[in-house]
Amino acid sequence: MAFTSGTILSAAPVPFSGKISVNGVNFDGTAQFTFALRDANGTVHWRNGADANASIEVPVDRGHYIVLLGGQGMTSIGEELFLDHPELYLQVRFYRADAQQWLHLQPDQRITSTPHALTAELARNALLAQLAESVRAGAITLDMLSPQVLAELNATIPRSRLAAGIRQDLNATLSAGAVSLANLGPDVLAELNATITRSRLSAGIRQDLNATLSAGTVSLANLGPDVLAELNATISRARLAPGVRQDLNRT
């Protein structure tokens, strides 16, 4: 029995070509095969069918045959298989009808071709595209966050969690005269220089301005000291109006 090393031709489903001969004679006709992909430890990660006994019919022409691994009714090969398991070997079994036994065609061939790398690269690009799509702007909403993340977002930030520079700014005290007009922005200066209209006064101040004093409501006790001093002051001739002084001087 002879088994010639096969050739991987393309990405998944992966074309595989092989050659088989029995007792030095190239096999010709239809035969039953099983195919599996295993790692270096012998663990099988893919089979052509549901179990190790599931086989497919493959036409063999003068010892040569070609199959589509993952095609021709086989179990499909996931794109992540080559990403998760970079070192895989193809295990082929051939059913010899005349002897009614399964023969393991050895050695198992490692899949190391360029199409294998292409399959992995395509899978990697697809994975990156999915990740990019999942985190696009606005893709993450509050209901997608875990309770722990929400708790962090809603937590009160204590002074101890602030950076040293921010705490220093908060603790800084402005000395008297440290801020001059030149330090103020144009909008602040405009506010300082603006005329205060009646509409800008609070309702309480406008009410006080509009209030009318009724007769007898203001007593001496309500007057300030300067007003009382004016009322009690002696009126000198100099404080009289010119007309009054003229009347006093008339003969």
Side-chain angles (χ1 to χ4, degrees):
M1 177 73 64
F3 175 55
T4 304
S5 174
T7 303
I8 300 299
L9 302 176
S10 185
V14 184
F16 176 81
S17 65
K19 185 179 180 182
I20 186 170
S21 62
V22 178
N23 298 326
V25 180
N26 290 334
F27 183 86
D28 195 78
T30 300
Q32 296 290 325
F33 285 84
T34 66
F35 301 92
L37 291 173
R38 66 167 179 84
D39 59 23
N41 298 321
T43 303
V44 174
H45 297 281
W46 174 85
R47 296 184 187 277
N48 61 271
D51 53 52
N53 295 321
S55 62
I56 65 168
E57 288 189 350
V58 178
V60 182
D61 183 18
R62 289 167 291 183
H64 297 278
Y65 66 92
I66 297 177
V67 293
L68 286 173
L69 301 177
Q72 297 178 238
M74 301 185 195
T75 302
S76 61
I77 297 177
E79 292 179 341
E80 71 282 357
L81 179 63
F82 296 132
L83 284 176
D84 297 339
H85 309 284
E87 183 179 351
L88 290 174
Y89 297 83
L90 179 61
Q91 191 178 79
V92 181
R93 290 195 308 155
F94 164 77
Y95 183 70
R96 185 173 172 177
D98 59 342
Q100 295 186 347
Q101 60 179 341
W102 285 98
L103 299 178
H104 181 189
L105 305 184
Q106 294 179 316
D108 295 343
Q109 302 299 308
R110 182 176 179 183
I111 300 180
T112 57
S113 66
T114 300
H116 167 215
L118 176 60
T119 301
E121 184 63 23
L122 290 174
R124 184 180 296 107
N125 291 339
L127 178 60
L128 291 175
Q130 290 176 358
L131 289 174
E133 177 67 16
S134 65
V135 295
R136 70 184 187 278
I140 299 178
T141 58
L142 284 176
D143 59 347
M144 296 169 63
L145 301 178
S146 67
Q148 294 86 348
V149 176
L150 289 173
E152 281 293 319
L153 289 175
N154 297 326
T156 301
I157 301 176
R159 200 177 185 91
S160 59
R161 293 185 61 186
L162 298 175
I166 296 177
R167 291 200 301 270
Q168 184 177 358
D169 289 341
L170 290 175
N171 294 331
T173 302
L174 292 175
S175 58
V179 179
S180 63
L181 287 175
N183 300 129
L184 301 177
D187 51 342
V188 178
L189 289 173
E191 282 292 320
L192 290 176
N193 296 325
T195 299
I196 300 175
T197 61
R198 197 177 186 90
S199 61
R200 295 183 62 186
L201 299 174
S202 66
I205 295 177
R206 291 200 300 272
Q207 184 177 356
D208 289 342
L209 290 175
N210 295 329
T212 302
L213 292 174
S214 57
T217 57
V218 178
S219 64
L220 287 175
N222 298 128
L223 301 177
D226 52 342
V227 178
L228 289 173
E230 284 291 322
L231 289 176
N232 296 326
T234 299
I235 301 175
S236 64
R237 195 177 184 91
R239 294 184 63 189
L240 297 175
V244 176
R245 290 199 300 271
Q246 185 177 1
D247 289 341
L248 289 175
N249 294 329
R250 183 177 303 160
T251 300

